[in-house]
Amino acid sequence: MEFGIFAQLFVPKFERDANPRAEHDRIMRNVDVAVAADQNNFKFVWAPEHHFLDEYSHMPGPEVYGSYVAAKTERIHIGSAIFNITAKVNHPARIAEKVALMDHLFGGRYEFGTGRGSSTTEVFGFDIPDLDVTKDMWEESIREIPKMWKPGTYSYEGEFFRLPEREVFPKPNGWGHPAMWVAAGSPPTFGKAAEKGLGTFCFTTGSPTRLAPLVENYKKEIGNATPVGDYVNDNIMGVTNMVCMEDRNKAFEVAAGMQMNYYSSLAFHWLDNIPKPKGLPEWPERLPEPTPEMVEQMANDGLAIVGDPDDCAKGVQAWADCGFDQLTFSPTTNTLDTEQVIASMELFGKEVIPQFDKDPEHSTTRYRREAAEKAGETYVA
């Protein structure tokens, strides 16, 4: 089991009302937390690409954020979760160029996570007529981008984009290319990701036990993958909340008071491509915040990693037992201050991560290196 953090760039309106520089402060807080992750045994920092989603995520450029973080860190991998590869939002040739350039500048630490947008607000904002067509747009781009990294010229006349004969530069750093991933929320998407040899971000909510059938389906299919890239990235990542403190009762109190459901309410408000539970209040009405006792029950059910290091290790084990390869936390999608967030990460990184991640090499580095060796090439990080 490997571990990461999510730099969602949540910017609540109530903070902006009180502080004109709240947006800037939130941006820099996400940088500080990424640096702390690098120093405390976490292996991944993920950043999404979102547009027009007030409060929920003010992160339009994972490649920009990631480049800044890469310059301030040493070992952590920095990935896009996701880079929107639909041609209306980002031309595939421009994506191929940026990914290859980051592969050089990051020293092999870039992770190429892909997707197609998460709401009508985003999709319609780029003059895409409906959500369903983005599936075909993504399919076209994910198939063509790896071809642009090969030596020689490339040309394409497709349904959603075209490129006259050109050679795309730069090429990736050494053999192969950064590990490729895709966001998944429904069973068919997990199967499709596995068929294509792509690592998968499990953005479906629920306990690890409820998500286990999705993981099982992915693991069953990926053994027969025909990768769209140069190698298979057999990786499935889950996302949850984490608060780790020496005093378990204090951890439950802190988690109960950090307004986690304010953010959850925003997610259900903006992400209208995700089915909503019955009875969910309509924004600006919000889900009630949990009590400390409710947080403890959530931790027992695997819905959050909260408590002392022993509690957190027990929670992580539930995800590991269900077959997840990586567990990623969203430490800044709440109202905790930076010092509290980093203290929690430091304790978790010292006491919990070493129990589960004993390999200093990133799994994605290993997959790329082993594929290069099998091809008779030398992987250059």
Side-chain angles (χ1 to χ4, degrees), residues 325-345:
D325 301 293
Q326 183 185 150
L327 193 55
T328 293
F329 308 117
S330 297
T332 58
T333 54
N334 52 59
T335 56
L336 296 183
D337 60 40
T338 305
E339 290 72 20
Q340 287 178 299
V341 169
I342 292 177
S344 174
M345 290 170 59

Side-chain angles (χ1 to χ4, degrees), residues 86-317:
T86 58
K88 277 268 193 174
V89 179
N90 291 295
H91 192 286
R94 293 287 289 120
I95 295 172
E97 293 169 337
K98 292 178 183 179
V99 170
L101 184 59
M102 287 187 287
D103 192 35
H104 286 270
L105 295 175
F106 292 20
R109 293 190 289 138
Y110 178 66
E111 305 276 333
F112 181 34
T114 71
R116 56 189 180 88
S118 57
S119 70
T120 55
T121 299
E122 293 184 306
V123 169
F124 295 174
F126 287 98
D127 196 29
I128 298 172
D130 62 65
L131 283 170
D132 283 343
V133 75
T134 61
K135 297 176 184 177
D136 295 331
M137 297 175 82
W138 176 85
E139 285 271 4
E140 185 177 59
S141 295
I142 201 69
R143 181 183 69 242
E144 294 302 313
I145 288 171
K147 298 176 185 178
M148 301 178 192
W149 291 324
K150 298 300 183 183
T153 59
Y154 168 91
S155 63
Y156 183 71
E157 190 77 37
E159 184 178 359
F160 301 107
F161 79 95
R162 63 181 298 274
L163 188 69
E165 188 170 348
R166 298 289 188 275
E167 185 156 10
V168 177
F169 297 107
K171 304 304 181 186
N173 182 19
W175 187 90
H177 50 74
M180 298 173 67
W181 303 69
V182 64
S186 63
T189 311
F190 283 85
K192 184 173 292 186
E195 290 171 9
K196 296 180 184 299
L198 302 172
T200 303
F201 308 126
C202 180
F203 289 155
T204 304
T205 58
S207 68
T209 302
R210 192 176 78 81
L211 300 176
L214 299 175
V215 180
E216 183 180 3
N217 182 51
Y218 174 84
K219 293 296 183 181
K220 180 177 67 176
E221 297 293 336
I222 200 157
N224 301 313
T226 301
V228 292
D230 287 335
Y231 57 96
V232 172
N233 178 22
D234 181 0
N235 249 310
I236 189 161
M237 180 259 272
V239 182
T240 189
N241 285 301
M242 185 272 286
V243 176
C244 186
M245 305 179 75
E246 294 286 3
D247 184 335
R248 67 191 306 266
N249 292 324
K250 181 66 174 177
F252 299 141
E253 291 174 8
V254 167
M258 68 184 187
Q259 297 200 44
M260 68 172 78
N261 278 351
Y262 186 96
Y263 183 75
S264 297
S265 299
L266 279 168
F268 285 119
H269 168 58
W270 284 119
L271 308 187
D272 53 5
N273 63 334
I274 298 174
K276 296 181 181 180
K278 291 181 180 180
L280 189 77
E282 289 293 329
W283 186 265
E285 297 298 318
R286 305 193 300 271
L287 292 164
E289 297 297 333
T291 64
E293 292 76 21
M294 292 168 67
V295 171
E296 183 173 8
Q297 187 59 53
M298 289 168 62
N300 290 336
D301 294 340
L303 290 166
I305 308 299
V306 181
D308 62 23
D310 289 339
D311 292 312
C312 291
K314 181 180 177 182
V316 170
Q317 188 64 56

